[in-house]
Amino acid sequence: MAKLITVFGATGQQGGSVIRAILQDDTLSKEFKIRGITRDILKPAAQVLLKQGVELISADMNSKESLIKAIQGSYSVFLVTTPAWGVAGSDAELVHGKNVADVAKEAGVQHLIFSSLLDVTKESGGRLKHVPHFDHKAHVEQYIRSIGIPATFVLPGYFMTNYTSFGMLRKGDDGVYTLAYPVGKDAQFPLVDIASDLGKYVAAALRNPSESLGTQLFAAADYYTPARILAEFEEVTGKKTRFVQVDSETYKSFIPGPMGEEMLENHLFIESPGYYKGQSLKDSHDFLERFGFQSTTWKAYLKENKSLF
């Protein structure tokens, strides 16, 4: 009898990637049936999942009662929490993560896989205190470890989609594409094609839970400097680029409100002490490749998405 895996954020980039990876894997597609959790089971993306045989449930992550119905019977759970972007002081992401962890523990879940990140406030020695979408995930990871539920932690890198969806590479009137950051050209960005690759790391963890339990997997293709990002962009697209380092106040002015401060400090953290504190990606890549998976390079992403620029 197939085991049940419950996937939060089923119609989002991360949950959707996990579901695709399971359905496309000859081993996991037989081992698991999938229950997807989404806020709106009627939207088109949800209907596509239903046609693929995914069970869909709507759940309120503020309500443990609602989560009990969502998680009941699950052998594994993939959890991603959503930041409360621009809402200063919100602890919603922390509450949601802890609620799911508590219910998963009570339901006897055998393998919780959490999309985590580092604690920016802690790792920066208190210098950077306004990146809650990192800190809250780190606190949820700490909580999961403290209650003793078997778990693996996948830490996504810097999304390649930032350059296509949010205009970080912007074409000027002179036809040159500008990348403006509040960090130097040698800062190390661990890039990931989130929709394509996050599920690969989760699938690898599911294929070998005995080795993945308790570990952190760094989901990123490589460390890329702004200089390399632009050089490869020019190579693939044939378009000209420039890098501009802007001061902190100018950068914050691009994004109004609390989110501007958050994005500024997020990037300052990437420069120092580093997105993953400079830790090597080799062990995560080796683990991925043992199961026949490979991460998507920036060049490959660009070739696939040239039309978006």
Side-chain angles (χ1 to χ4, degrees):
M1 183 177 175
K3 296 180 288 191
L4 176 65
I5 181 169
T6 293
V7 178
F8 282 82
T11 57
Q13 290 192 100
Q14 295 193 43
S17 183
V18 170
I19 290 174
R20 285 191 297 275
I22 294 171
L23 291 175
Q24 292 167 8
D25 187 280
D26 289 342
T27 299
L28 296 177
S29 60
K30 295 181 179 69
E31 183 178 355
F32 288 99
K33 61 179 181 178
I34 305 170
R35 174 185 292 158
I37 308 300
T38 184
R39 282 171 290 189
D40 182 3
I41 62 174
L42 298 178
K43 61 184 175 183
Q47 295 303 304
V48 170
L49 292 176
L50 280 172
K51 291 176 182 176
Q52 294 174 324
V54 176
E55 176 192 4
L56 285 181
I57 292 179
S58 179
D60 178 0
M61 295 176 77
N62 289 305
S63 164
K64 286 190 177 181
E65 183 178 348
S66 174
L67 289 170
I68 289 170
K69 295 176 182 177
I71 292 173
Q72 191 171 26
S74 300
Y75 180 89
S76 298
V77 169
F78 170 74
L79 171 62
V80 58
T81 52
T82 303
W85 293 116
V87 183
S90 172
D91 65 351
E93 192 170 5
L94 183 60
V95 170
H96 294 168
K98 286 185 173 183
N99 281 348
V100 173
D102 285 339
V103 172
K105 171 83 171 177
E106 293 163 9
V109 168
Q110 297 299 299
H111 192 183
L112 173 61
I113 301 175
F114 176 54
S115 179
S116 187
L117 287 169
L118 296 187
D119 186 332
V120 172
T121 300
K122 175 185 174 184
E123 301 300 345
S124 69
R127 176 172 58 93
L128 306 169
K129 302 176 181 178
H130 303 98
V131 194
H133 75 283
F134 271 60
D135 289 1
H136 286 165
K137 290 182 176 68
H139 296 164
V140 171
E141 175 178 337
Q142 184 180 21
Y143 183 74
I144 289 169
R145 291 182 183 274
S146 75
I147 64 174
I149 185 169
T152 302
F153 305 95
V154 180
L155 282 64
Y158 191 91
F159 292 7
M160 294 179 187
T161 50
N162 288 341
Y163 301 103
T164 50
S165 300
F166 299 111
M168 285 187 175
L169 266 170
R170 188 162 298 179
K171 186 178 181 180
D173 293 339
D174 59 358
V176 177
Y177 283 77
T178 297
L179 178 61
Y181 275 145
V183 297
K185 61 182 177 58
D186 296 320
Q188 301 281 327
F189 288 74
L191 299 188
V192 62
D193 182 352
I194 193 68
S196 172
D197 286 6
L198 194 280
K200 297 173 184 176
Y201 288 87
V202 173
L206 290 170
R207 290 274 294 274
N208 190 352
S210 62
E211 188 175 338
S212 70
L213 287 172
T215 65
Q216 289 183 327
L217 295 173
F218 300 144
D222 200 359
Y223 287 108
Y224 291 80
T225 63
R228 181 181 172 192
I229 289 168
L230 293 182
E232 294 189 3
F233 178 83
E234 289 189 355
E235 181 183 338
V236 172
T237 67
K239 303 178 189 299
K240 292 183 178 181
T241 65
R242 68 167 66 91
F243 174 68
V244 178
Q245 183 175 354
V246 298
D247 64 78
S248 293
E249 291 305 313
T250 299
Y251 189 78
K252 282 196 294 184
S253 73
F254 298 158
I255 311 167
M259 194 169 171
E261 184 79 28
E262 184 163 354
M263 289 299 97
L264 168 66
E265 292 197 3
N266 192 169
H267 287 89
L268 296 178
F269 179 69
I270 290 170
E271 186 165 56
S272 178
Y275 195 104
Y276 297 130
K277 296 189 300 179
Q279 296 178 82
S280 172
L281 304 177
K282 184 178 184 304
D283 287 347
S284 297
H285 286 175
D286 289 348
F287 185 72
L288 197 65
E289 289 167 9
R290 289 216 320 264
F291 300 97
F293 301 115
Q294 283 195 323
S295 55
T296 303
T297 66
W298 174 233
K299 280 186 183 179
Y301 177 84
L302 287 170
K303 289 175 183 176
E304 184 72 23
N305 294 281
K306 275 200 292 187
S307 64
L308 298 179
F309 293 99

